[in-house]
Amino acid sequence: MENFEPVIVAFCCHYCAYTAADMAGSQRLPYPANVKIIRVPCSGKVDALHIVKAFEKGADGVYVAGCLEGDCHFKNGNERAARRIDFVKKYLEEIGIESERLEMTTMSAGMGHRFAEVATQMTEKIRALGPSPVKAAQAA
Amino acid sequence: MKTESKLEKVLKAGHLAVTGECGPPRGAKPEEVIAKSKHLEGIVDAINVTDNQTAMVRMSSLAASVLIKQQGLNPLLQVTSRDRNRLAMQADIIGAYSLGIDNMLCLSGDHTKFGDHPSAMNVHDIDSIQMIQMVKDMRDKGIFQGGAELKGAPKMFIGAAANPFADPFELRVMRLEKKIEAGADFIQTQCIFNVDKFATWMEGVCKRGLHKRCYILAGVTPIKSLGAAKYMANRVPGMDVPKEIVERMASVPKEKQAEEGVTICVETIEKLKQIEGVAGFHIMAIEWEEIVKEICERAGLLPRPQV
Amino acid sequence: MITAERKPLEELIEYIKPYKRILLLGCNECVTVCAAGGRKEVGLLASGLQMAMLKNGKNIEIQQHTLERQCDPEYVEELVQMIDGADAVMSMACGCGVQQVAMRYKDKPVFPAVNTKFMGASERQGVWAERCQGCGNCLLGATGGICPIARCAKQLMNGPCGGSVTGHCEISEDVDCAWQLIWDRLKALGQTERYLEIMPAKDWRPAGGSGPRKIIREDLAE
């Protein structure tokens, strides 16, 4: 457990967070390698099933990164994503997974710093929480 | 005369009728029913006995009515469609009449949501208007609701409620007309604090000649405290307590509020007397039955006529 | 449509505890439309149950399948292929679907995964509201197309009670007063006088009062 390296899945919107990740790279901003990025056309595309499956397949934390409020390229995909995240958080609690392991965040394409910051914060938070209870039970 | 009801006789003779109210206790305490009704002895022509009011379980209105009858007083049995289907209602009506009860009030009843058994099923097999029809057919045609012949028809003086203050206001006169059409002999209204609005409603009632087809008893309630005024103004659905009334209650010190409430009530009765079509008063002094005598005295409604 | 809502996971876990191989069965009709028991919800529940059981140290096998229509024996028959591979079935269909499966596969335990709620219509995305109680003798023609049986908290057939305030029901500000809606419609149709017609006491037999109901179309029935 001391050497626990969390697996974090980040669903990143193509128009903002994914580009911000690129920006972070070209600016040589370090961020934890724990974060596995999945590019999506819009944060609103991320389905509850994608999130739950990520946990089932071994993720310790998941976050969805969409555009800033009012900036969605598809009008309100980011708002829908936020509501869906709230819904899945409740479901995770029912399953017995701490809902803090799932977050919604927003940023713009130019925010390389913010991308690195969010990735770092999420990794630290999940590291502190430890492995997902599902994974922990399997390992035991 | 459709019945032997004393209330009908008073109204028929052209007197302003007075009815009171008695809420049965939440337990087997017959003495409470008797004590409450004694406050109304010689003061009112009939005593409404509520039926699980506010959807809280109480002694049955039928049993409490019998207790009141045994005191030589004149009960008015309230029946809601919330708790019984048409079989149970007809059985109770026959039973009530057999025990000397000849007035009743047909109501739909407060929703169970408001009471102490919110998980109970609301029956509503028939609604209040259909109940009026049913009781009238039992009385006048001697048939059960199901169509079979009824021997020993209960001769009930049939009442219904009207709330001129609920929405949609423009439909409220027609709703009264429907109740009269169904067979209501008399009406008791929701508590009136907004006399102007009541007068507007009564204008509509008289325009359609409804006041000539049934007796309309105007409902009044003495407010005991500022808190009670605020509660009725804000928390009771379909109750219209104008700001001026609440302000007037607030303008007097706490220990004088009950007295002010009685004064407002008496003044309201005086104003209502001036309105065409008002055939009497239904005084709802909830858990304050002893005050009805003073209200009636001050409003010039005593002594009650002997009929 | 028939609307439904998933039961709490805790209750579902209790049902399947004794079993190892579960057939989780969705339905492609109403419960898909109201997002309670379609293919997607089957996937979500399978994943959730799997994880919840793993957390309790138990590995179960969940087979996912969604039938075109679970209330139709023709489709329920499809399960013949896979039913032997399951110790128990958990159905995400409405109560009709659950019972079809139970009747067809008599030796297989079948559990409901959803609470069947009401016949409703979609008010807007994600919101369904009760509109019909299947009383068997439609009176919408007399009430301006608004049902007082399904939409009045007291099922009043002759007008609003004294608790109707500014268009909403006394039980909640979130519930429209059915009779306000009816009145508004009658006004819009220029038929306010229709309100005066007394609707007589309802015959509840077609509503289920005379026992379980059945429709037989002689020309179709085999």
Side-chain angles (χ1 to χ4, degrees):
Chain A
M1 204 64 83
E2 280 156 26
N3 299 321
F4 167 59
E5 281 302 330
V7 176
I8 293 170
V9 175
F11 291 98
C12 295
C13 161
H14 164 79
Y15 292 96
C16 55
Y18 191 78
T19 312
D22 251 359
M23 186 76 81
S26 57
Q27 289 175 333
R28 304 281 186 269
L29 297 169
Y31 64 87
N34 307 59
V35 177
K36 319 285 179 213
I37 296 174
I38 296 176
R39 180 167 69 155
V40 287
C42 172
S43 58
K45 174 66 193 167
V46 182
D47 195 273
L49 195 54
H50 298 140
I51 299 168
V52 173
K53 279 283 172 195
F55 281 106
E56 190 187 345
K57 298 289 176 196
D60 300 295
V62 174
Y63 66 93
V64 176
C67 297
L68 295 171
E69 204 183 315
D71 280 354
C72 176
H73 286 236
F74 302 98
K75 224 167 135 186
N76 60 354
N78 50 355
E79 291 165 29
R80 284 169 178 246
R83 286 206 301 271
R84 208 168 293 150
I85 296 298
D86 287 342
F87 169 78
V88 179
K89 272 172 169 279
K90 288 190 196 117
Y91 189 42
L92 291 178
E93 288 289 344
E94 271 195 280
I95 295 168
I97 298 172
E98 305 91 327
S99 57
E100 308 97 281
R101 291 181 185 275
L102 172 63
E103 295 301 345
M104 171 82 196
T105 181
T106 57
M107 62 187 70
S108 74
M111 292 176 160
H113 271 285
R114 171 138 174 90
F115 180 85
E117 190 183 287
V118 168
T120 309
Q121 279 172 358
M122 191 68 184
T123 306
E124 287 317 311
K125 185 168 90 171
I126 302 299
R127 201 192 298 280
L129 274 171
S132 117
V134 177
K135 225 156 82 178
Q138 274 175 290
Chain B
M1 293 286 290
K2 297 169 181 167
T3 70
E4 291 296 308
S5 158
K6 185 182 166 201
L7 181 59
E8 183 179 8
K9 284 177 190 155
V10 170
L11 287 161
K12 183 93 182 174
H15 302 291
L16 280 173
V18 180
T19 53
E21 192 162 299
C22 166
R26 283 172 53 74
K29 292 180 163 174
E31 65 281 3
E32 283 189 13
V33 179
I34 293 164
K36 276 185 179 182
S37 63
K38 284 285 180 191
H39 288 304
L40 301 171
E41 189 167 8
I43 310 294
V44 300
D45 304 311
I47 302 169
N48 281 51
V49 185
T50 54
D51 181 11
N52 285 345
Q53 70 187 89
T54 63
M56 308 269 277
V57 177
R58 290 160 198 278
M59 179 191 293
S60 79
S61 56
L62 173 51
S65 291
V66 171
L67 286 168
I68 291 172
K69 186 76 195 174
Q70 284 168 351
Q71 308 309 307
L73 303 172
N74 192 25
L76 194 163
L77 177 77
Q78 294 196 183
V79 179
T80 72
S81 64
R82 178 197 56 222
D83 302 338
R84 292 174 199 77
N85 70 5
R86 61 191 87 175
L87 273 81
M89 281 182 205
Q90 291 177 98
D92 278 356
I93 291 162
I94 292 171
Y97 188 72
S98 302
L99 292 162
I101 296 155
D102 52 14
N103 308 295
M104 69 172 284
L105 189 70
C106 304
L107 302 166
S108 49
D110 299 314
H111 196 271
T112 49
K113 183 199 154 106
F114 300 105
D116 61 350
H117 288 72
S119 56
M121 178 83 172
N122 288 277
V123 179
H124 299 301
D125 171 23
I126 57 176
D127 66 21
S128 57
I129 287 178
Q130 293 158 350
M131 196 197 307
I132 296 166
Q133 267 184 332
M134 177 178 81
V135 184
K136 185 180 162 66
D137 285 350
M138 288 170 83
R139 181 187 71 193
D140 297 346
K141 295 186 188 164
I143 54 169
F144 286 107
Q145 197 281 327
E149 188 193 345
L150 161 59
K151 289 190 175 117
K155 302 285 183 193
M156 286 288 182
F157 190 44
I158 306 166
N163 184 1
F165 307 106
D167 293 320
F169 178 69
E170 52 190 347
L171 167 150
R172 291 290 158 179
V173 170
M174 284 167 91
R175 177 136 171 91
L176 176 73
E177 183 165 347
K178 250 177 129 164
K179 291 192 171 183
I180 295 168
E181 200 60 47
D185 302 312
F186 71 96
I187 296 292
Q188 291 175 320
T189 77
Q190 171 69 288
C191 317
I192 300 158
F193 296 105
N194 186 341
V195 178
D196 292 340
K197 191 160 187 184
F198 176 74
T200 309
W201 179 73
M202 279 303 285
E203 239 172 71
V205 169
C206 294
K207 207 180 272 174
R208 286 183 95 107
L210 303 178
H211 61 307
K212 299 217 166 91
R213 295 173 59 196
C214 89
Y215 304 105
I216 296 168
L217 308 189
V220 292
T221 286
I223 306 174
K224 215 170 183 176
S225 64
L226 175 61
K230 283 183 177 166
Y231 179 80
M232 286 192 283
N234 303 323
R235 305 292 294 275
V236 182
M239 194 85 124
D240 183 348
V241 184
K243 214 167 66 216
E244 305 80 71
I245 300 268
V246 181
E247 282 166 3
R248 200 170 146 186
M249 289 299 288
S251 72
V252 296
K254 206 171 166 71
E255 63 281 5
K256 296 261 185 191
Q257 283 172 359
E259 196 184 316
E260 189 68 15
V262 171
T263 303
I264 293 171
C265 185
V266 172
E267 288 171 13
T268 305
I269 292 174
E270 292 299 346
K271 282 186 218 163
L272 293 170
K273 280 184 188 173
Q274 309 305 316
I275 295 173
E276 188 192 358
V278 172
F281 303 96
H282 177 47
I283 304 170
M284 291 164 271
I286 299 140
E287 300 302 322
W288 199 14
E289 292 77 9
E290 63 275 20
I291 201 68
V292 178
K293 185 177 180 194
E294 184 188 330
I295 294 168
C296 288
E297 262 167 7
R298 288 173 58 185
L301 297 167
L302 293 181
R304 300 306 311 146
Q306 297 302 311
V307 288
Chain C
M1 82 193 87
I2 294 173
T3 61
E5 260 183 332
R6 178 175 58 77
K7 282 176 175 284
L9 210 57
E10 209 182 338
E11 184 181 342
L12 302 182
I13 290 167
E14 276 306 309
Y15 285 140
I16 61 168
K17 249 184 189 166
Y19 308 100
K20 179 143 176 55
R21 300 171 306 164
I22 309 297
L23 172 58
L24 189 59
L25 204 53
C27 175
N28 225 355
E29 295 279 354
C30 314
V31 289
T32 294
V33 183
C34 69
R39 203 177 302 275
K40 184 184 283 184
E41 290 74 30
V42 166
L44 260 181
L45 182 59
S47 199
L49 281 176
Q50 192 74 261
M51 284 193 274
M53 295 305 277
L54 276 174
K55 232 188 120 243
N56 295 328
K58 200 178 161 194
N59 204 346
I60 57 168
E61 288 169 30
I62 301 179
Q63 194 183 358
Q64 305 177 30
H65 191 71
T66 299
L67 293 178
E68 196 51 39
R69 207 163 35 245
Q70 228 179 99
C71 57
D72 204 327
E74 188 181 330
Y75 296 103
V76 173
E77 198 58 36
E78 270 177 36
L79 301 177
V80 164
Q81 313 293 330
M82 58 189 82
I83 200 85
D84 288 338
D87 305 322
V89 179
M90 178 160 276
S91 165
M92 298 196 79
C94 71
C96 308
V98 178
Q99 293 182 64
Q100 285 290 42
V101 175
M103 292 295 286
R104 173 61 185 82
Y105 304 101
K106 294 193 190 306
D107 59 350
K108 206 56 73 178
V110 180
F111 302 104
V114 302
N115 290 319
T116 306
K117 307 287 269 197
F118 49 80
M119 278 190 267
S122 176
E123 279 190 346
R124 54 178 199 276
Q125 166 122 337
V127 179
W128 297 273
E130 181 160 24
R131 290 288 182 267
C132 177
Q133 287 198 352
C135 76
N137 187 7
C138 191
L139 43 80
L140 286 170
T143 55
I146 310 285
C147 181
I149 307 289
R151 303 183 68 175
C152 167
K154 297 176 184 171
Q155 303 192 325
L156 301 182
M157 276 168 262
N158 284 292
C161 74
S164 173
V165 179
T166 57
H168 60 76
C169 174
E170 68 175 22
I171 64 159
S172 166
E173 298 216 0
D174 300 330
V175 178
D176 291 328
C177 169
W179 277 99
Q180 176 76 56
L181 297 176
I182 293 169
W183 179 248
D184 292 345
R185 278 280 293 165
L186 291 178
K187 269 202 301 188
L189 297 169
Q191 297 178 356
T192 50
E193 286 299 312
R194 286 211 70 170
Y195 171 71
L196 283 174
E197 294 165 18
I198 294 179
M199 216 175 281
K202 192 168 173 66
D203 180 351
W204 292 106
R205 280 172 295 182
S210 58
R213 295 171 278 176
K214 193 178 271 193
I215 297 170
I216 302 173
R217 271 279 300 268
E218 303 287 358
D219 58 328
L220 299 173
E222 283 175 9

